[in-house]
Amino acid sequence: MRGGLTEPGPTRPDLAPVRGIFQAASTAVVVLAALALFVSACATGGTGTRDEGPAHAVAADGASPSVLPSALASPRLDRKGAVALLRSDPKVSEAVKRDLEPCGTDQYPVDLFYGDLTGGSADDVVVNVVTCADLVGVGSYVYREEDGSYQNVFQTEEPPVYAEIDRGDLVVTKQVYEKGDPVSDPSGENVITYRWASGRFAAVYRTHSDYNDVVGTDPTPVPDS
């Protein structure tokens, strides 16, 4: 069920493609970028493929994956199916579940990406939950399908956050605020690259960029723990 979507992960990944809706610091650019992604997902049934080109914790860090009912498993989740999956997952916080209401007629505030992250028999799915009002990412999750059931193998619920797939790696972008920064004007962003190994996701690179800097920071390998 791969469909030839994957490529081997890079030695030092190019982080440029994962900036997404968090690259710009101005309110207009952030909102327009997020809105474009949100509308695009609606036009295609709420799904995308990005393998080309605690609450408040990472569930994969030493925690046993939660297994969701097999009735929810399907080759390709749509937005409504993803919402049902999140609502049934005991690891998803109640705060995030409260945001899982339609923004319009059947337009649920979730974005989906498919790709090979864990080397399983089916593509993994990355689910991002955003707010309807301002499209801020409030939670990112990775589900692995195995034996007809979905397993939650990664999650982070520290907004603003957004996750994507880049050439077999999971890339999570988080905006950074300094004291006095308005919500519409963060100071920068942290980009963390995770790679699946030994049954869990481990951080392999971290990059911090200040929006006011002309030149960003090079990726920094994460020391082995």
Side-chain angles (χ1 to χ4, degrees):
M1 294 171 56
R2 297 273 176 243
L5 298 177
T6 62
E7 299 177 13
T11 303
R12 291 182 64 84
D14 178 7
L15 298 173
V18 305
R19 293 296 186 236
I21 61 174
F22 299 111
Q23 180 62 47
S26 69
T27 305
V29 175
V30 170
V31 172
L32 286 175
L35 182 59
L37 178 61
F38 190 69
V39 171
S40 174
C42 290
T44 59
T47 63
T49 301
R50 285 290 183 89
D51 204 9
E52 300 172 351
H56 307 306
V58 175
D61 289 345
S64 299
S66 61
V67 180
L68 283 300
S70 58
L72 292 174
S74 66
R76 280 291 186 268
L77 289 172
D78 58 10
R79 285 170 175 251
K80 193 172 183 179
V83 167
L85 183 65
L86 292 166
R87 284 175 173 167
S88 68
D89 189 347
K91 289 186 176 182
V92 177
S93 71
E94 291 302 318
V96 170
K97 289 179 179 180
R98 285 194 294 269
D99 283 328
L100 296 174
E101 296 297 332
C103 301
T105 305
D106 294 328
Q107 294 182 3
Y108 288 93
V110 295
D111 288 325
L112 310 179
F113 300 101
Y114 285 92
D116 181 13
L117 287 169
T118 67
S121 58
D123 283 339
D124 306 296
V125 57
V126 175
V127 183
N128 290 291
V129 180
V130 300
T131 60
C132 288
D134 47 21
L135 303 179
V136 171
V138 295
S140 297
Y141 311 85
V142 177
Y143 288 96
R144 185 175 194 260
E145 187 180 349
E146 187 172 349
D147 297 328
S149 297
Y150 282 111
Q151 298 182 27
N152 180 338
V153 293
F154 179 96
Q155 74 177 55
T156 178
E157 295 178 338
E158 298 176 356
V161 62
Y162 203 83
E164 295 180 279
I165 301 172
D166 181 33
R167 290 167 291 184
D169 290 333
L170 175 67
V171 182
V172 178
T173 303
K174 298 182 179 182
Q175 287 181 310
V176 176
Y177 292 86
E178 295 182 356
K179 186 176 181 180
D181 285 347
V183 174
S184 61
D185 192 16
S187 296
E189 66 180 17
N190 290 326
V191 178
I192 307 170
T193 299
Y194 294 90
R195 193 165 293 163
W196 183 261
S198 302
R200 61 190 289 269
F201 281 103
V204 292
Y205 294 103
R206 297 178 188 269
T207 298
H208 174 78
S209 297
D210 291 320
Y211 288 144
N212 292 329
D213 288 350
V214 177
V215 180
T217 305
D218 290 335
T220 302
V222 176
D224 294 333
S225 57

